[in-house]
DNA sequence: GATATTTAAGATAAGTTTGTCCTTTATAAA
DNA sequence: TTTATAAAGGACAAACTTATCTTAAATATC
């Protein structure tokens, strides 16, 4: 469904969103430990998120990553879009280059519903929402 | 969502299912042309489907691939399972090794619905069903 | 039985994703 | 101003997927 990079991105962003605002600066090491991901690879992914302004970073001692108030409202849809592209939301399930209502692949209609279900859910789910489940111990970021 | 191998497998199986029963033997060349796929790679995928008895093959002159009556009732679910495994139907969306009701990932519940939607659809859709859309020109296998 | 045809199987190559390592840049603190 | 720390960036390596090529095996036709 999602690439590993994308899974790391989502978990990392949710993790940072669980930290108290204003006191949420956290280093790479902590992040990759919290989500059980390879450190250097995670760094690359965070770089992309920083460039896309979904996350901010501070270099130097006591540096790290922070996620600001607005960014905590980021939808999961946006993270997938930035890391994996939106192929999963818009692409043809059977790989036809030009799959459309006028020229539908074999499963076009059946998949439309699923894609819409997925996109809708991802579009209406924010980091904030997900962070809540982690904070109260209902949901988990690793193992 | 699905690997290329899996997309080729589904399209190939649907294509063979569109041919009239009893007169449905078709060669690799025709298949890969009908679904616009690389010939040698398609051959590898068909080999797997033959081994799994979803398809039968005949070597030699006038050889090719055939799909028997029962096999036309094969569900798309089965093809995905054979080519990609059932990770997509059962695996954790965020990559947790042990994601479950008791130890759910951040999106566990929201994804459950989508996975069930997908699995249900794939489980209730057969090659036969899809072949009909191709036969009457409503749906397409390439471009 | 010899020949031609077609799938099976194995080796290998190309491309992509995942992962690591090393150097550079920024910056806080001494 | 120097030093230490942490992210950024580039190069490279490993693993996996996709794709190709060559040889082997099976079989229909002559």
């Amino acid at each position: 469904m999602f690439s590993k990079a994308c899974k790391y991105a989502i978990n990392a962003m949710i993790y940072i969103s669980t930290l108290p605002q204003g006191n949420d600066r956290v280093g790479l090491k902590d992040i990759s430990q919290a989500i059980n991901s390879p450190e250097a690879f995670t760094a690359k992914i965070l770089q992309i998120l920083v460039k896309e302004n979904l996350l901010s970073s501070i270099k130097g001692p006591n540096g790290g990553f922070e996620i600001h108030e607005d960014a905590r409202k980021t939808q999961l849809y946006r993270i997938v879009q930035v890391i994996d592209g939106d192929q999963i939301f818009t692409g043809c399930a059977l790989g036809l280059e030009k799959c459309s209502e006028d020229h539908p692949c074999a499963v076009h209609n059946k998949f439309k519903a699923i894609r819409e279900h997925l996109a809708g859910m991802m579009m209406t789910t924010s980091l904030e929402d997900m962070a809540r489940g982690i904070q109260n111990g209902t949901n988990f970021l690793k193992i």
Side-chain angles (χ1 to χ4, degrees), chain A residues 86-105:
Chain A
D86 46 19
Q87 193 60 14
I88 188 136
F89 301 123
T90 64
C92 172
L94 296 183
L96 300 214
E97 260 174 71
K98 307 208 171 181
C99 183
S100 65
E101 297 297 317
D102 285 351
H103 188 87
C105 77

Side-chain angles (χ1 to χ4, degrees), chain A residues 16-78:
Chain A
I16 306 171
S17 299
T18 62
L19 305 175
Q21 265 184 48
N23 186 22
D24 60 344
R25 195 175 297 178
V26 62
L28 173 62
K29 207 161 295 184
D30 283 341
I31 296 170
S32 59
Q33 204 155 33
I35 68 169
N36 192 33
S37 67
E39 214 175 296
F41 189 49
T42 306
K44 298 293 185 194
I45 297 159
L46 296 179
Q47 269 177 47
I48 299 170
L49 297 168
V50 168
K51 263 188 204 148
E52 293 288 334
N53 294 307
L54 302 181
L55 188 63
S56 57
S57 69
I58 300 94
K59 286 184 180 176
N62 298 315
F65 296 89
E66 286 175 358
I67 194 164
H68 296 132
E69 200 184 338
D70 296 356
R72 293 183 181 220
K73 304 204 187 310
T74 301
Q75 285 108 24
L76 300 189
Y77 188 98
R78 181 78 188 120

